[in-house]
Amino acid sequence: MIISIALRELRSMFLSPLAWTVLAVIQLILAWSFFTQIDFFFNIQSQLATLPNAPGVTDLVVMPTFEVASIILLMVTPLLTMRLISEERRNGSIALLLSSPISMTEIVLGKFTGIVLFMLIFITMISLMPLSLLMGTELDLGKLAAGMFALMLLLSAFSAAGLYLSSLTSNPVVAAISSFGLLLLLWIINSNTGDASNTLDQLSLLGHFAPMLRGLIDTADIAYFILFIATFLLLTIRQLDSQRLQG
Amino acid sequence: MKALEVNNLHKTYRNGFQALSGVSLEVKQGDFYALLGPNGAGKSTIIGIICSLINKTSGQVRVYGVDLDQNPADARMHIGLVPQEFNFNIFEPVGEILLNQAGYYGIPRKIARQRAETYLKKLELWDRRYDMAKELSGGMKRRLMIARALVHEPRLLILDEPTAGVDIEIRYSMWNFMRELNASGTTIILTTHYLEEAESLCNNIAIIDKGVTIEQTDMRSLLNRLNLETFVLYLDHEIEQLPDCGDYHVRLLDKSTMEVDKHKDHDLNGLYSRLSRCNIKVVSMRNKSNRLEQLFLSMLNNNSKD
């Protein structure tokens, strides 16, 4: 059932022009950013050659591209998640899900899986650009994998939060704006602290994403993302249940 | 076995509004059942509770013997719902809408395709299977909603005003389809504001008003309660004066149209004899108003007085 809902979500995303537009625009922006990074790398390559333990192409081209991708997707993910539940409620199709033999947990997990699959397509497309460098140079594949993993966890977290906010309203625009506000807040929440042990730093999405992007996979960071995702999914299930109770 | 048993159903919304105050219904297997009531009577709340869209305050719902509280997934497997409002993704192709719906019920894709073909063909939508739902006309969208509700082959189909806004030709073809479906064993619950639709299709009926069941009986005995029926008779030629019609109470609407009130203990043969004797021929006749409509209104009036 979860797979059925996930595949339906994925298909329906590609039925509207929004997903195609988002994919195309992001790919264009990231391609431009990628070429800028390559250009920058070529410009400083001679200086790098004189440095011991100089950063390689993975650090100077691939990671900045992923960083740019994470910021763009912070803005774009709410546009993709806004319709997940709010639109179903607005056009009444939520009734089909609620009257079918699927549990609320399956509905929420199915929708979440659907959007995560879409994000996976995103990450694959983004990663194809750095991977194309393998034709001309060597990459630190470990760091690349860590970056992709970090991006996957981050986008899953964005999606879970967006899904929850989509369940709060029947207006997709309100869902998108509130998701963006929440994600931006959690992104910059530690901007003035500078102390890693600070509570705000522990809450920050960026604080847990940045080390992984640099190749430092810490179980605490993974646990943070898993807890973040689980919390918002549980909140979504509770929200939908309470709406059914209200009738 | 009963297709649906609703016992003492209560629903009070959070704002204190009591939508249902002890509704009980029994729908037999294979029945074509009308659930009627004025706007705000509680019909949609009952349907919402049966379909798990709304949680009840108290009471019991059993679908084909399966308790909705104890085994909601099994109970929902038996139900197909055709809601009043169009509720599909308008960008989705017609065929996909059915396949997705089948997926929610765990039906394998191959079987779902076969069923989608069957129902789309029966409802004359097969040629439009690749079209987006937004490209369909109002009548086609209604038929799509029915096809979608049937794709998991429910034993109990709930139709919430399925012919609202549909032209007369499509309405009749939908009536025929519903009759065929019922004849093949599917129990149907119909809510409608077209009372001639309920009279024509349904065997049993419940009338809900102000959250309570004010009547639950079979259609024939309900209609038998109508003491007085008014018929309009169209005559073959113009007459200047009313003939002597004995006990029949007749009025002349115009020179070639008569109206007659018939008590349920009388028949029309006597009237025809009297008219024939006066050399007046009746070329056609009709009920002045729908019989069920008359009863429905009088019941609602009585309930308001109570």
Side-chain angles (χ1 to χ4, degrees):
Chain A
M1 296 290 192
I2 293 172
I3 298 299
S4 282
I5 299 173
L7 292 176
R8 183 233 166 186
E9 280 304 324
L10 194 60
R11 273 194 295 267
S12 67
M13 256 178 222
F14 285 106
L15 288 171
S16 77
L18 180 70
W20 292 103
T21 312
V22 165
L23 272 176
V25 170
I26 290 182
Q27 202 63 16
L28 194 73
I29 295 170
L30 287 179
W32 177 81
S33 165
F34 180 64
F35 283 119
T36 311
Q37 298 297 338
I38 291 175
D39 191 44
F40 171 70
F41 181 76
F42 278 136
N43 287 339
I44 62 164
Q45 202 173 20
S46 54
Q47 295 163 41
L48 289 173
T50 61
L51 293 173
N53 293 324
V57 70
T58 314
D59 298 297
L60 293 172
V61 176
V62 180
M63 294 307 132
T65 304
F66 280 2
E67 261 175 29
V68 173
S70 66
I71 292 165
I72 293 172
L73 286 165
L74 177 114
M75 293 182 271
V76 167
T77 307
L79 293 177
L80 299 167
T81 56
M82 67 178 184
R83 44 164 294 284
L84 284 173
I85 294 172
S86 62
E87 201 168 274
E88 293 246 30
R89 191 177 295 123
R90 193 165 64 159
N91 66 25
S93 54
I94 192 84
L96 300 175
L97 287 169
L98 298 181
S99 62
S100 69
I102 313 169
S103 69
M104 206 62 89
T105 308
E106 286 174 313
I107 293 171
V108 172
L109 286 179
K111 285 186 171 286
F112 176 70
T113 311
I115 189 80
V116 167
L117 286 175
F118 186 80
M119 294 304 183
L120 211 58
I121 295 172
F122 248 148
I123 294 170
T124 309
M125 286 176 67
I126 295 167
S127 304
L128 284 176
M129 287 188 281
L131 284 171
S132 68
L133 295 174
L134 281 171
M135 289 189 286
T137 184
E138 280 185 7
L139 289 177
D140 184 338
L141 292 176
K143 270 189 181 174
L144 179 68
M148 288 168 71
F149 180 61
L151 207 53
M152 190 65 237
L153 284 177
L154 183 75
L155 295 187
S156 300
F158 286 174
S159 304
L163 182 65
Y164 171 61
L165 286 157
S166 175
S167 74
L168 295 178
T169 171
S170 57
N171 186 332
V173 177
V174 173
I177 293 170
S178 50
S179 301
F180 175 67
L182 176 71
L183 295 177
L184 187 64
L185 178 72
L186 290 170
W187 190 259
I188 61 166
I189 199 164
N190 65 337
S191 56
N192 286 328
T193 60
D195 174 13
S197 62
N198 187 291
T199 313
L200 292 180
D201 204 69
Q202 293 302 315
L203 283 174
S204 164
L205 281 163
L206 185 61
H208 293 278
F209 172 66
M212 281 206 277
L213 194 62
R214 291 196 299 270
L216 188 69
I217 302 286
D218 188 339
T219 46
D221 294 328
I222 297 173
Y224 166 83
F225 279 110
I226 291 171
L227 277 172
F228 186 100
I229 293 164
T231 304
F232 278 106
L233 293 182
L234 282 170
L235 285 172
T236 313
I237 294 167
R238 273 189 64 86
Q239 177 62 21
L240 288 177
D241 260 331
S242 75
Q243 280 164 6
R244 181 184 277 174
L245 282 166
Q246 286 168 29
Chain B
M1 185 190 283
K2 300 276 187 299
L4 178 71
E5 290 167 87
V6 174
N7 295 317
N8 201 22
L9 202 59
H10 285 80
K11 173 68 189 179
T12 306
Y13 286 93
R14 200 177 267 187
N15 60 7
F17 174 68
Q18 192 164 13
L20 302 177
S21 323
V23 168
S24 295
L25 301 171
E26 265 191 15
V27 181
K28 285 181 282 182
Q29 191 173 345
D31 203 354
F32 206 136
Y33 193 91
L35 185 62
L36 305 181
N39 290 334
K43 303 185 299 288
S44 298
T45 305
I46 295 171
I47 291 175
I49 291 170
I50 295 168
C51 297
S52 307
L53 305 176
I54 299 172
N55 273 11
K56 62 189 184 322
T57 307
S58 65
Q60 193 188 36
V61 177
R62 292 168 78 85
V63 183
Y64 279 94
V66 182
D67 192 296
L68 196 61
D69 291 331
Q70 287 170 10
N71 205 340
D74 272 6
R76 288 179 212 156
M77 280 298 279
H78 294 305
I79 303 173
L81 171 66
V82 181
Q84 198 176 334
E85 309 286 338
F86 298 132
N87 63 346
F88 34 67
N89 180 349
I90 54 167
F91 294 107
E92 236 172 337
V94 169
E96 277 294 315
I97 288 174
L98 266 68
L99 294 179
N100 284 332
Q101 178 76 358
Y104 297 157
Y105 289 80
I107 297 164
R109 199 87 173 158
K110 194 180 165 190
I111 297 171
R113 277 204 192 91
Q114 290 166 356
R115 288 191 188 171
E117 182 177 346
T118 305
Y119 291 109
L120 288 177
K121 278 182 176 167
K122 275 188 181 174
L123 286 152
E124 296 168 36
L125 289 168
W126 180 242
D127 294 341
R128 307 296 299 267
R129 63 191 180 279
Y130 299 121
D131 293 349
M132 279 193 236
K134 67 173 183 173
E135 291 165 15
L136 301 183
S137 67
M140 285 174 176
K141 284 177 185 161
R142 283 261 167 245
R143 282 180 279 154
L144 173 59
M145 303 260 283
I146 296 176
R148 185 184 60 184
L150 289 173
V151 79
H152 65 283
E153 303 196 330
R155 298 167 79 187
L156 173 64
L157 182 68
I158 299 174
L159 302 163
D160 193 0
E161 300 198 29
T163 57
V166 166
D167 71 41
I168 195 77
E169 191 186 351
I170 294 171
R171 184 179 300 171
Y172 281 127
S173 79
M174 283 169 77
W175 284 12
N176 287 334
F177 178 73
M178 287 187 251
R179 281 193 190 103
E180 276 175 34
L181 199 64
N182 181 239
S184 69
T186 306
T187 308
I188 298 179
I189 296 177
L190 172 78
T191 77
T192 180
H193 285 297
Y194 302 118
L195 297 188
E196 77 276 13
E197 183 167 271
E199 188 181 335
S200 165
L201 295 171
C202 300
N203 314 317
N204 290 298
I205 182 169
I207 297 176
I208 310 288
D209 189 29
K210 296 174 187 163
V212 290
T213 318
I214 59 171
E215 188 55 72
Q216 188 178 198
T217 182
D218 63 285
M219 189 67 79
R220 183 175 291 218
S221 39
L222 182 71
L223 293 174
N224 278 342
R225 282 191 219 163
L226 201 63
N227 288 321
L228 197 73
E229 275 188 87
T230 305
F231 292 94
V232 178
L233 309 181
Y234 298 96
L235 312 178
D236 73 332
H237 65 268
E238 292 186 353
I239 55 171
E240 293 299 329
Q241 274 192 324
L242 276 172
D244 174 24
C245 294
D247 292 340
Y248 296 97
H249 186 238
V250 293
R251 297 171 292 282
L252 206 56
L253 296 180
D254 60 47
K255 286 180 178 176
S256 58
T257 315
M258 269 170 70
E259 202 173 81
V260 55
D261 295 329
K262 183 192 87 67
H263 193 268
K264 74 170 180 181
D265 298 332
H266 290 161
D267 56 45
L268 286 170
N269 290 348
L271 175 68
Y272 287 146
S273 307
R274 283 172 181 273
L275 292 175
S276 293
R277 263 182 257 141
C278 302
N279 210 21
I280 298 171
K281 286 181 185 165
V282 177
V283 287
S284 68
M285 64 175 282
R286 65 171 172 86
N287 272 90
K288 187 182 181 188
S289 61
N290 179 270
R291 294 180 299 167
L292 185 56
E293 211 166 88
Q294 286 180 32
L295 277 165
F296 181 73
L297 289 173
S298 74
M299 280 178 178
L300 294 185
N301 281 336
N302 291 340
N303 194 44
S304 310
K305 285 172 195 162
D306 295 344

